[in-house]
Amino acid sequence: MSKKDSKTKELKEKLFYKKKNIYKLVNDDVVSKAYDFCDGYKAFLDSSKTEREAVKYALEKAKANGFREYKAGMKLKTGDKIFVNNRGKAVILAVIGKEPLENGAKICAAHIDSPRLDLKQCPLYEDNEIALFKTHYYGGIKKYQWTAIPLALHGVVVLEDGTTVEVNVGEDENDPVFVISDLLPHLASEQMKKPATQIITGEELNIIVGSRPFKEDEESELVKLNILSILNEKYGINEEDFLSAELEAVPAFKASDIGFDRSMIGSYGHDDRVCAYPALEAILNLSDTPDKTAVTVLTDKEETGSDGNTGLCSSYLKYFFDDIACDTEGSKTRGTVILSNSECLSADVNAAFDPTFPSVVEKKNTAYINYGVVVTKFTGSRGKSGTSDASAEFVGKIRTLLNKNEVVWQTGELGKVDGGGGGTVAAYIANLNVDTIDVGVPVLSMHAPYEVVSKMDVYMAYKAFEVFFCD
Ligand code: MN
Ligand code: MN
């Protein structure tokens, strides 16, 4: 190599921004830590397929780690570890920091609801001696992906006397599962000519739940009767009880390692448990009281637009800050002041580059698996509509933080300009006057019944939340 060549190379090294595969940047020790961390994540995935189950999991872990339930009016002081359970569907965990509350908090917010099929209010019917459930899908799905796969049923039924019955069928290996039928290819010539949005329609997402008639009789609807009889015996419910139920069909499969090298995880519901789990672990594992009050929010309803009292368009997060401003020893501030000085990592997934479908993204600005946690400055669509768009100053702060702590990270934009788009809870938290940016994990096949992430990216999300709280 000539002297001139090496100088060119040197200058390139100095001036170019180059992303690198994470396996070129970290040692084997970090890799094995990451893979171990993901064993815990897989257990969380299998036990927490709905927001209610994720809250239950979080509360159990929180209590085991010294967090106690906080209600407005209780006295708080530095070092206190608290949680607020919002109706069993969303949870706030917090550690009161050393600095005065008016200096602001560090907030990590992830969502624990995922796309799925909700049962309609009058779900059960019999058609040609097969019993089925009618559904209304929740969140953005490709409907055809939900046929011919095993489904489990999760949720609650509230009886007339006010008691709540929990339902979880299809997760234990001895449980039955459920399924939505699809047409055999031999008879699908008309179906296959339809656009993908109509191959399976919403009203065709009917779940098969039984086929055996109730004893021998001349009565009609004996298969339906038999199902109700089984449900009555097991849960004490009758058909009217479905009216006050939330029953959700989710894929019955478990999380698995993907690939000969086991470098990835396949599962239902990575979006957004892949950020919820690291955000939860980061606050649970804080070894010292942080300088600034640390807050992890695991929220509901993101997939349907964040409306409702358990979603982040609700005021429950704002009320929390109002309450701790009143209740914390020595505090003379207000919730609005705390929020105005707070920072938030909106912990949500982004799309990963898929070599089979490269045309939907712009390669210079998309996220790749194994390139670390994705920092997404803006979301939205059609001219950034709907985005909170983090400021250069706040991006700069996060950039410095991640670099100095050797957290491998990348930027990512969701698809080509005008190619689609999407949003997260970032805008709703930013609207409370909080500096907010999306930080999460890139996902392949996002919103499919079985999504894929890289183990190293999951671990880097955890590291990002950890250093954010500790900085
Ligand atoms: Mn999400
Ligand atoms: Mn989503």
Side-chain angles (χ1 to χ4, degrees), residues 105-123:
K106 303 269 193 134
I107 307 165
C108 283
H111 68 93
I112 45 178
D113 61 321
S114 295
R116 61 177 188 240
L117 307 175
D118 288 351
L119 296 201
K120 291 195 187 192
Q121 281 203 280
C122 296

Side-chain angles (χ1 to χ4, degrees), residues 27-309:
N27 60 33
D28 288 352
D29 184 44
V30 177
V31 174
S32 72
K33 270 190 192 148
Y35 283 36
D36 287 348
F37 180 82
C38 286
D39 287 339
Y41 173 48
K42 283 185 285 179
F44 171 69
L45 282 167
D46 291 343
S47 68
S48 308
K49 291 190 177 181
T50 65
E51 61 278 358
R52 288 179 191 271
E53 290 166 354
V55 165
K56 226 174 176 184
Y57 178 100
L59 294 184
E60 258 167 45
K61 292 275 169 181
K63 286 175 195 162
N65 281 273
F67 285 69
R68 65 189 166 100
E69 183 157 27
Y70 164 68
K71 295 234 153 76
M74 283 168 61
K75 288 290 152 233
L76 298 174
K77 57 177 192 315
T78 297
D80 277 356
K81 298 171 166 186
I82 53 171
F83 65 82
V84 175
N85 175 358
N86 185 358
R87 297 169 171 82
K89 293 175 153 209
V91 62
I92 300 172
L93 295 98
V95 180
I96 307 297
K98 290 178 196 152
E99 288 183 22
L101 282 175
E102 57 259 38
N103 289 5
K106 303 269 193 134
I107 307 165
C108 283
H111 68 93
I112 45 178
D113 61 321
S114 295
R116 61 177 188 240
L117 307 175
D118 288 351
L119 296 201
K120 291 195 187 192
Q121 281 203 280
C122 296
L124 183 61
Y125 69 105
E126 176 174 337
D127 193 343
N128 282 275
E129 295 171 283
I130 294 178
L132 302 109
F133 279 152
K134 294 297 295 178
T135 67
H136 193 140
Y137 63 99
Y138 173 99
I141 62 166
K142 288 174 157 179
K143 298 179 206 62
Y144 65 82
Q145 291 180 331
W146 291 72
T147 65
I149 59 167
L151 298 171
L153 199 64
H154 294 234
V156 295
V157 183
V158 177
L159 308 182
E160 195 152 23
D161 68 3
T163 52
T164 300
V165 180
E166 272 182 47
V167 176
N168 184 316
V169 184
E171 296 298 339
D172 190 275
E173 57 180 280
N174 298 312
D175 279 357
V177 294
F178 311 97
V179 70
I180 294 165
S181 60
D182 198 354
L183 212 43
L184 59 167
H186 316 65
L187 299 179
S189 57
E190 286 306 313
Q191 182 197 33
M192 297 306 281
K193 282 182 210 150
K194 291 181 186 172
T197 50
Q198 288 157 36
I199 288 174
I200 295 289
T201 64
E203 292 296 352
E204 287 168 345
L205 290 171
N206 303 320
I207 303 173
I208 296 174
V209 295
S211 68
R212 179 175 170 177
F214 185 78
K215 293 181 184 150
E216 274 175 57
D217 207 314
E218 291 310 303
E219 282 287 323
S220 61
E221 296 191 287
L222 290 176
V223 178
K224 172 176 165 176
L225 180 63
N226 196 39
I227 295 299
L228 281 170
S229 158
I230 292 168
L231 291 176
N232 186 261
E233 200 172 299
K234 191 165 179 195
Y235 300 110
I237 64 175
N238 59 34
E239 192 176 11
E240 194 182 318
D241 292 325
F242 281 119
L243 300 180
S244 49
E246 281 181 341
L247 292 167
E248 295 145 10
V250 296
F253 18 81
K254 307 262 182 252
S256 297
D257 287 348
I258 297 266
F260 290 114
D261 57 9
R262 298 180 170 267
S263 59
M264 297 163 282
I265 304 168
S267 175
Y268 164 67
H270 280 311
D271 177 9
D272 184 33
R273 286 170 184 78
V274 74
C275 297
Y277 182 76
L280 175 64
E281 284 292 305
I283 196 157
L284 294 178
N285 295 343
L286 282 173
S287 52
D288 296 316
T289 301
D291 291 343
K292 292 212 165 73
T293 294
V295 178
T296 284
V297 189
L298 304 181
T299 197
D300 182 27
K301 296 278 185 284
E302 195 278 339
E303 296 295 357
T304 53
S306 293
D307 286 312
N309 53 14

